[in-house]
Amino acid sequence: MEKILSKKIILCHICLALAAIILFGSSLWIVEKQHIYHEMNQVLDQEEGYYLESRMMLEDKVSRYVSDYTLRLCGVNDLLTAQPVLRSSRCLQSLCTYFGMKEICIFGDDGTILLSSDELATGSRLLKTEDARPFADMIERGGDIVLNFECSPIISGGEGLNFMAVPSAVEGWSMVLIGIDQQVAAELQDEIAMSGLMLQIPTTHDNAMFAIDKNTGKLLGKTIGNDLLFRSGFNYNDADIQDLFRNSENGKIIYVAGIPTFLMTRTVNHVIFADLRLASVQIRKITGMLLGIILLNCVISFIALCIIKQYFHKYVFLEIDAIKKTICQIIGGDETAAFHADNSPEMTAIAMALNDWNKNIQHTQKKLNWIISSTAPDAAMFECLSYVNSTCFSDNLPSVLGMEPAQWNELKDDTERFKEYFSALDESKDENGIVAAGEKFLLLRLYKMDQDYFGIIVDKTASVKRKAQQAIDLKRAIDDSETDSLTGLLNRRGFESHVEKKLQKKTGNAVMLIMDVDNFKHVNDNLGHPEGDILLRKVGACLKQQFRESDIVARLGGDEFTVFFCAEMPKDVLPDKLDRLQQALREALADYTAYSTSISIGSACMSSAKACYETLYSHADKELYKAKLAKKSGTKVSHNTVV
C-alpha cells in the first residue's frame, strides 16, 4: 500500500505540474503573441505612413509633370493654329526638339494622320486597341486633353511613348497629339519607388516585410536581412501566397516549412504590406522559462514527497501492516487475535471498529451454523475469498458432500483445489441444477462476484431417488393398463393412445387393419378355453412377426385384432400385402383347420391430412363386416380398401 500511495502522490504531483506548465505556458504564449502583434502593428503603422507620404510626393510630381507637358502641348497647338507655315514634317521635327518631345501628329476628322514629325506615320489611322480608345473617342465626340500614361504604342511607328492629345481649332483637324519619352515618367516614379521605401525599414535575420500589389500579386518590394526566414523555406513565388496573406489584418500564425511564423498584413489602397517574424525566439524564451519551472517543481516535489512518505510511514503504514497481520490471523482461525493501534487517534478508532466487526462476524458465523443445522440439515454454504486466499463454509458441508475426513482436509486448505472442485461440479449439473457426486445427488447454486466464488449446496439424493422410483412405477402402471395380459400386445386403450400420437405426426398414408378369427367359438367349444387362448397367442405372435416394431399391433378383445402402420404405397400393393398376411395366419392356424378357422380382414387407407382414429376405425370395421358377408355367400373376398 505504501508503494501504491507513493505512486499516487507522484502521479498527483506530475498532473499538477503538467497543469501548471500548460497554464503558465499558455499564458506566456498569449502574452508574447500579443506583444509581437503590437510590435508588428507599430511597424505596419510606420510603413503605412512612409507609403502615404511617398504617394503624396509622387502625385505632386506627376501633377507637375502633366501640367508641364500640357502647357507644351497647348503651345504647339497654338503655334500650329496661328502659323500655317509651321505645318510641315520638318517644322514639326524642330518643334519636337524645341519642346522636348518625341513625336507630334495632326489627325483629321476621320482619324487619319494628316501630318507627323515622323513622315512614315503620315496617312496612318489609329490602331483599334484599348489603349487608343480614348483618342478615338475624342475624334468622334470631342473633349478636353486626353493622356495615355500606360507607355503602350498606339500609333504606327510609335514605340515606348506616353501620348497626350488636345482638340484642334483648325478646320479639318480633329486633334493634335504629342509623344513623350516614357523614361521621363519612369525617372519620376523611381525617385520614390516601393523598393526604395522597403529598404528604409530595419529588420533582423528572422524578420521580413513585403509590399505586394493587391490586384496582381506582384512583388513591389521587400526588406533586406531576411536570410534566416528564407532559409527556413519561405518562398514568395508559391502559388497560394496571396491566399496566405488574406484575412491576416489582426495577425495570425502560419507555418513556413513546418516552423511557426507570425504574420500581420495592412492593406493601403491597392498595396498589401506584410510583416513576417519567425516564432523561434519566442518559443526559445518560453521553453527556457518552462524548463526552469519544471526543475523548480521537481525539487519541491521531491522534498514534499519525502516529508509525506515519512509521515505516512510512521502514522499510517505501520498501523495498516499491523491490521493486515491481525486480519490474516483471524482468517487463519485465530479467534483470540485483536486489532491494536497506538500512533494516531484515527487508527485507534479504526482498530476498535475492526474488533467490533470481528466479534460480530464470529457471532454471525456461529448463528448461521446453528440456523442451518437446525432448519436445513441437508443444505450447506461456502465462500472462496481469492484476495485473502481463504475459504469459509458451514460445518455440515462435508456431510452434505458425502466426503471422507481425509479427502475433506486436503480440499479445504487449498483454495484453488476447493474452487476447481466446485467448478467441475457446476459444469456437470443438468438443466435442473442437479449433479451426481458419488452416491449423492446435489442441487448446486453457485455464484461468482469478481474473483470471489460462493454458493449453496442442497442434498437432493432422497428426493431424486424418490422421483425416479415414482417414474418407474408410473411407467409400469401405464404399461400394465395398456397391455393385453394374454398376448402381450397392446389392448384397446393402448392402441387408441398410440394411434392418436402417430396420427398427430403423420406425414404419409395411414393404414388400419381390423381382423377376427372366424369359427373361434368352435375351438373353444370342442377343445376348451385354454386351447382357445393358445390360438389367440399364436395369432398375436404371427402379427408381431409380420409387422415392424414401429407398427402398432393390438388385441381389441375376444378374437378381434388390429394393426396400424404409416406407409407410402400404391393402392394395388396393399391387397398383395394383405394376401401375404392371410397366408402367414393360415400357416399359424394350421392345427385348427378341422374347425374351419380362418381370418377375416377389413382395411382402411387414409391419405387425408385430417384422418383421425375414429374415421379409420369406422371404415376398417365396415370392411371387416363386408369380408365376413363375402365368406358366408361363398364369394372369395377377404378384404376391401377405402381411400
Side-chain angles (χ1 to χ4, degrees):
M1 184 176 179
E2 184 175 359
K3 292 181 179 179
I4 295 174
L5 188 57
S6 299
K7 289 180 180 179
K8 290 188 176 181
I9 293 173
I10 294 173
L11 182 61
C12 290
H13 273 282
I14 291 174
C15 293
L16 291 174
L18 288 175
I21 290 170
I22 293 172
L23 181 61
F24 188 72
S26 301
S27 301
L28 283 177
W29 176 254
I30 293 172
V31 172
E32 191 66 22
K33 185 171 68 172
Q34 294 300 324
H35 176 68
I36 292 296
Y37 285 159
H38 180 69
E39 288 185 355
M40 295 172 75
N41 198 49
Q42 288 181 332
V43 172
L44 290 173
D45 286 341
Q46 182 182 4
E47 184 65 18
E48 182 181 0
Y50 288 157
Y51 172 73
L52 293 176
E53 183 179 352
S54 67
R55 292 302 302 173
M56 292 178 62
M57 293 173 60
L58 177 61
E59 291 173 0
D60 181 60
K61 289 191 176 185
V62 170
S63 177
R64 290 199 301 270
Y65 167 83
V66 173
S67 298
D68 180 31
Y69 278 94
T70 300
L71 291 174
R72 297 184 192 189
L73 174 59
C74 291
V76 170
N77 186 35
D78 291 341
L79 284 174
L80 293 176
T81 303
Q83 302 292 333
V85 70
L86 299 176
R87 300 171 185 174
S88 67
S89 296
R90 188 172 182 179
C91 291
L92 291 179
Q93 291 176 2
S94 299
L95 290 175
C96 286
T97 303
Y98 180 78
F99 284 102
M101 303 174 183
K102 285 289 184 180
E103 187 175 357
I104 299 176
C105 295
I106 299 171
F107 288 83
D109 294 336
D110 59 354
T112 303
I113 298 177
L114 302 177
L115 187 62
S116 174
S117 59
D118 183 2
E119 294 182 358
L120 297 177
T122 303
S124 301
R125 296 178 62 87
L126 285 177
L127 296 179
K128 294 181 180 181
T129 64
E130 289 300 323
D131 293 330
R133 176 52 53 190
F135 302 105
D137 291 342
M138 174 182 283
I139 294 173
E140 294 175 1
R141 294 187 293 272
D144 296 330
I145 294 174
V146 175
L147 173 65
N148 181 355
F149 208 62
E150 299 298 329
C151 302
S152 300
I154 62 172
I155 301 174
S156 176
E159 181 177 357
L161 300 178
N162 292 333
F163 295 97
M164 183 180 293
V166 65
S168 175
V170 178
E171 185 177 355
W173 292 5
S174 59
M175 68 177 179
V176 177
L177 180 143
I178 63 172
I180 308 165
D181 190 349
Q182 64 178 358
Q183 185 64 29
V184 177
E187 290 176 356
L188 288 175
Q189 295 180 4
D190 288 342
E191 292 179 5
I192 50 174
M194 188 62 67
S195 58
L197 290 176
M198 300 303 294
L199 294 176
Q200 299 178 24
I201 303 175
T203 57
T204 61
H205 65 292
D206 60 348
N207 170 223
M209 292 198 66
F210 297 86
I212 302 167
D213 190 294
K214 179 180 178 181
N215 300 321
T216 65
K218 179 181 178 182
L219 178 64
L220 303 178
K222 66 178 181 179
T223 57
I224 60 174
N226 318 127
D227 52 334
L228 179 60
L229 184 65
F230 281 94
R231 287 201 307 270
S232 300
F234 180 77
N235 183 5
Y236 173 76
N237 294 322
D238 288 346
D240 58 347
I241 192 66
Q242 286 183 276
D243 293 333
L244 188 67
F245 284 178
R246 288 194 180 99
N247 301 321
S248 54
E249 289 80 4
N250 297 323
K252 68 179 182 180
I253 296 177
I254 62 175
Y255 287 88
V256 177
I259 301 175
T261 304
F262 293 105
L263 169 65
M264 181 177 285
T265 60
R266 179 75 58 81
T267 303
V268 183
N269 296 333
H270 67 282
V271 179
I272 298 176
F273 294 98
D275 189 352
L276 288 92
R277 303 191 182 194
L278 292 177
S280 56
V281 176
Q282 288 72 29
I283 292 175
R284 287 195 298 269
K285 179 180 177 181
I286 294 173
T287 302
M289 298 180 69
L290 291 178
L291 289 175
I293 293 173
I294 292 172
L295 181 61
L296 179 62
N297 185 75
C298 289
V299 174
I300 295 174
S301 298
F302 178 76
I303 296 173
L305 180 61
C306 291
I307 296 173
I308 293 172
K309 184 177 180 180
Q310 183 63 27
Y311 175 84
F312 275 96
H313 180 75
K314 180 178 180 180
Y315 293 99
V316 178
F317 296 135
L318 291 177
E319 303 291 355
I320 291 176
D321 287 341
I323 292 174
K324 181 179 178 181
K325 291 178 181 178
T326 305
I327 291 175
C328 292
Q329 292 174 355
I330 294 173
I331 293 174
D334 186 359
E335 297 183 358
T336 62
F339 296 95
H340 300 283
D342 302 322
N343 292 328
S344 65
E346 292 81 4
M347 298 304 295
T348 301
I350 292 174
M352 294 175 61
L354 289 173
N355 284 325
D356 293 339
W357 167 78
N358 184 27
K359 291 179 181 179
N360 289 333
I361 288 179
Q362 292 178 359
H363 294 165
T364 301
Q365 187 174 3
K366 291 179 180 179
K367 286 187 284 187
L368 285 175
N369 275 320
W370 292 339
I371 292 171
I372 291 172
S373 60
S374 60
T375 59
D378 293 334
M381 295 186 298
F382 76 90
E383 183 177 18
C384 287
L385 305 176
S386 298
Y387 69 97
V388 292
N389 194 28
S390 179
T391 56
C392 301
F393 46 84
S394 59
D395 295 339
N396 63 337
L397 182 58
S399 61
V400 171
L401 295 174
M403 280 191 177
E404 297 294 330
Q407 183 184 4
W408 173 248
N409 290 332
E410 292 179 0
L411 183 66
K412 71 173 184 177
D413 295 329
D414 190 337
T415 305
E416 289 302 318
R417 284 188 60 189
F418 194 91
K419 188 184 298 185
E420 291 174 1
Y421 174 79
F422 283 101
S423 297
L425 289 180
D426 189 41
E427 293 176 358
S428 303
K429 66 184 180 182
D430 60 17
E431 65 276 4
N432 297 319
I434 302 295
V435 62
E439 296 181 355
K440 290 204 171 190
F441 294 93
L442 305 176
L443 174 64
L444 300 183
R445 291 292 184 266
L446 305 182
Y447 308 94
K448 291 181 180 179
M449 182 180 294
D450 296 331
Q451 298 299 320
D452 294 338
Y453 196 62
F454 57 95
I456 301 173
I457 299 93
V458 181
D459 186 358
K460 291 288 185 177
T461 304
S463 176
V464 170
K465 289 182 178 181
R466 183 172 58 254
K467 288 182 179 180
Q469 186 60 44
Q470 289 175 351
I472 293 171
D473 295 341
L474 178 61
K475 186 177 184 306
R476 184 181 294 117
I478 293 174
D479 291 343
D480 291 344
S481 66
E482 294 182 348
T483 304
D484 177 52
S485 59
L486 178 64
T487 62
L489 301 177
L490 292 174
N491 58 19
R492 182 183 293 275
R493 177 181 177 184
F495 180 73
E496 291 180 2
S497 175
H498 283 66
V499 170
E500 289 289 354
K501 292 178 182 179
K502 282 277 188 179
L503 288 175
Q504 290 176 2
K505 301 177 182 180
K506 184 181 82 68
T507 58
N509 293 337
V511 179
M512 182 181 288
L513 307 178
I514 299 179
M515 60 197 80
D516 64 9
V517 182
D518 298 325
N519 299 318
F520 175 68
K521 187 174 183 300
H522 294 170
V523 176
N524 279 336
D525 292 343
N526 292 281
L527 301 178
H529 286 280
E531 190 63 32
D533 292 343
I534 293 174
L535 184 149
L536 294 176
R537 291 193 190 99
K538 287 183 178 183
V539 173
C542 181
L543 291 176
K544 289 188 69 174
Q545 184 178 6
Q546 292 297 314
F547 290 93
R548 301 166 298 182
E549 291 186 5
S550 59
D551 298 335
I552 304 171
V553 183
R555 178 190 172 208
L556 298 179
D559 60 349
E560 188 176 5
F561 293 84
T562 183
V563 179
F564 174 87
F565 58 93
C566 295
E568 293 287 347
M569 61 176 64
K571 296 180 180 179
D572 57 348
V573 174
L574 182 59
D576 294 340
K577 182 176 179 64
L578 296 181
D579 289 341
R580 291 194 299 271
L581 175 61
Q582 282 189 322
Q583 180 61 33
L585 289 170
R586 280 196 293 270
E587 292 175 359
L589 301 179
D591 295 337
Y592 305 99
T593 54
Y595 303 100
S596 301
T597 57
S598 62
I599 300 294
S600 295
I601 302 174
S603 65
C605 178
M606 301 294 291
S607 60
S608 172
K610 297 182 180 180
C612 61
Y613 176 83
E614 289 79 6
T615 302
L616 285 172
Y617 186 86
S618 175
H619 281 287
D621 188 58
K622 290 178 181 179
E623 293 304 316
L624 175 62
Y625 180 71
K626 291 179 181 180
K628 284 182 173 293
L629 290 179
K631 281 186 177 182
K632 290 180 180 180
S633 62
T635 306
K636 193 176 182 180
V637 177
S638 60
H639 61 80
N640 283 301
T641 302
V642 178
V643 179

